[in-house]
Amino acid sequence: MKQTVEEAARIEREKVIQELHVAYKMHKDPKHYIISNAAIQKYAVPLFKAGAGWQAKQSPWISVEERLPENNTVVLTRGAYGFLICQLSSLGEWETGANVNKERLGITHWMPIPSFDEILEANKDVPERIKEKGK
């Protein structure tokens, strides 16, 4: 079963609290322990969830559960066969030129394929970086 972000956050919070207990046994500073424990209890889970949300937005991959591409738009997909170039037909079925079992594609994510101009724009600083590396 897949772990939710809330479950992962609680597990990480408990790890930090255990580390705090170990530190308390060494330093025996109850004031520091009480303040730290309260801060961890209050902020750890929301901060973990915020970080997970931020990280999810950094990926160019779009979950098929979130949304699907427009019909007949060619996209890069990720699924049971690895990465395939596919398009979603007007019937809502994934189509690919590969000889695969279409019922078992298991596509979980997709991303638009950038145009050549977009690739050039995203990499326009590469010659300058190469030049800088050579110095």
Side-chain angles (χ1 to χ4, degrees), residues 29-40:
D29 183 354
K31 184 175 159 186
H32 174 74
Y33 175 79
I34 291 168
I35 292 169
S36 297
N37 190 45
I40 291 165

Side-chain angles (χ1 to χ4, degrees), residues 6 33 45 48 88 106 113 122:
E6 287 85 4
Y33 175 79
V45 171
F48 186 98
L88 196 64
I113 299 173

Side-chain angles (χ1 to χ4, degrees), residues 10-26 33 36-37 40-41:
R10 286 190 200 99
I11 289 168
E12 292 304 314
R13 178 185 61 198
E14 292 307 313
K15 288 178 186 177
V16 173
I17 289 173
Q18 290 302 318
E19 291 175 21
L20 182 61
H21 288 308
V22 170
Y24 173 71
K25 288 177 183 176
M26 287 174 36
Y33 175 79
S36 297
N37 190 45
I40 291 165
Q41 292 291 352

